[in-house]
Amino acid sequence: MNARKSLFCGIDLGTTNSCIAVFDESGARVLELDGQVTMPSVVAWKDDQWLVGQAARNHLAVSPKDAVSSIKRKMDDPGYRIKLGGESLSPIDVSAKILSALVRGAEQQLDCVIDKAVITVPAWFQEQQRQATLEAGRQAGLEVLQIVNEPTAAAIAHERISLDDGAEERWLVYDLGGGTFDVSLLNVSAASYEVLASEGNTFLGGDDFDHRLMERFVTHLRDQHNIDAAADILVKARLQLLAEHTKIQLSNNTHVHLLEPIVVGDQSIMLDLKLTRDDFEGMIDDLIDSTLEKVAQVMTDVNVGPESVDRLLLVGGSTRIPLVGDKLKQRFGIDAESWLDADLSVATGACIRAAICCGQVFDRSVVDICSHSLGVAAMGEEDYKEMDVLGSDISNAAHPLTFVPLIRRNTRLPANFMRTFYKAHDQQCGAKIPIYQGEHSNTRHNNFIGEFFVEFSQNQSENLDVRFRYDLNGTIKITVIEGDNGTEREYTMNLSDSAEENSELHTFDDSTMALAEASAENESVVTNFLIEKISQKLELSEEPVPEIAKLLERYQRLLGAEETDDELDKLEEQLYDWVESE
Ligand code: AMP
């Protein structure tokens, strides 16, 4: 008997639809399952069986309580549970069923075994959501080779856009799907894709546009027929499908006339409504504008203007709404391009990435970034503020409140960073180092993602240097260095391992833990050195002027990465040139 061939795949695990691409002799190609290239991300329980995909979506329309959709929007909530088929399912469990259905469907069709995958996530996902996706992949029996950001995967899929050696283009990838929005700015050359900055909103997409239309239907039914359609779960599910259908029709037509029979309780009525594309655009205008604010933020982060963008790539089903392309054209003065089907480029790029991971193709290298700052909680300003205001003793708090960002958003990964902390008191023999992700100065507003327990040696030094390393797979490594010539200890945390596993690895007597105090100094020795030098040259006594700060920010991002000597040299030259010219 012939052993079944083994293939690997790329999976776009979407809010509304998911998609799988496999790699074979002809390269990466998206598979049709049940005659469709995308599969609805819906799971249902019917007649003692699990349904996934279109069948589950059909069941959702007639029995909404037995089905779940848009589970990706719950990946940030580890405590969320949905009761289905007599089980209590977490977002990871539901996502694993979707991944499993895609993989088993592909295996059956191709008579092969698929056990390795690259899975994509929104660039704006936090570490916790990434790890939940990784866990879902494992539960589906997959070895997850990598978790890749959706806009980055979409850029990789555009490998046919060839560039001459030495040429470089700047691409803006605008990705608006069913439930999430991402935008990334990349430098692309014949040798690499380098992500410069990402922004996004994990709660914005086609589902929200459908919701606006549904609200319109509900108001219309209330005004015309005096019924509350939103109170009936079945009618609501029906209107939801109708809203999506209407939205899609309005991408291709300038007006629609809806004539839909609706049964509410024992009343049978007709939804008779005329809508124009302008009406619909008016309903979603503020939402599209909010995506453009994110686009503007990305441009500001990199400190470039719209004229510097060479290509606008549209990704995600919702970019078929004409208003999206129109508004982008107004802003950038160029037409958006769709080289590939907007729904398929993410899975295709993920599959090419899987092929690269497995050594099957050698493509441009990929340099991605972390989209949220990563840091630690340490005693500092926020704690003192709270003590002043409340007069309270916060020493009982689980963690200190001051967020000390160590690897800032948009830093290239893997990143290294060092910072000095002071011991809370001389006799302190260990410390808890809680890791948070977010942008707020108070840890209460950021996401807790894990903690390290570090032991100190008995030497009397007051300060310790902590070196952090964070990579694309979510591995955080910290090295604690005590005193000038002190001992080094290394601790590693794989965020994909459970919290218990991590704490077991580094068990430390909780009762002796004290909080370390953060030093505001020593952000980065090299950067400080540069600031000082430039400030001296310009005879600045205080903060560097904004232009220098911007250049330094970029410098600092590059500092986080490895093998960037050339780029650092280039940037340093740019800095000095700029100083000279001033
Ligand atoms: P994705 O997550 O990329 O599969 O995108 C799914 C979203 O795209 C859903 O909200 C769809 O309703 C939406 N979509 C698909 N085709 C169109 C279209 N022609 N016009 C507007 N929205 C669309």
Side-chain angles (χ1 to χ4, degrees), residues 126-127 370-377 403-411 413 415 417 434-439 446-447 449-450 452 468-471 474-478 495:
Q126 295 256 0
E127 198 51 58
C370 62
S371 41
H372 301 275
S373 299
L374 187 82
V376 301
F403 180 58
V404 186
L406 297 168
I407 292 167
R408 293 192 183 265
R409 57 183 284 266
N410 290 338
T411 299
L413 295 179
F417 212 80
I435 312 286
Y436 279 82
Q437 202 169 33
E439 311 306 323
N446 294 337
N447 265 327
I449 54 172
F452 287 98
F468 287 76
R469 188 186 152 83
Y470 177 46
D471 68 21
T475 304
I476 301 176
K477 201 175 264 186
I478 64 171
L495 294 173

Side-chain angles (χ1 to χ4, degrees), residues 35 80 117 252 268 350 381 394 414 422 432 553:
Y80 180 84
N252 305 319
S268 180
E381 208 176 317
I394 55 156
Y422 294 105
K432 177 151 73 171
E553 212 177 278

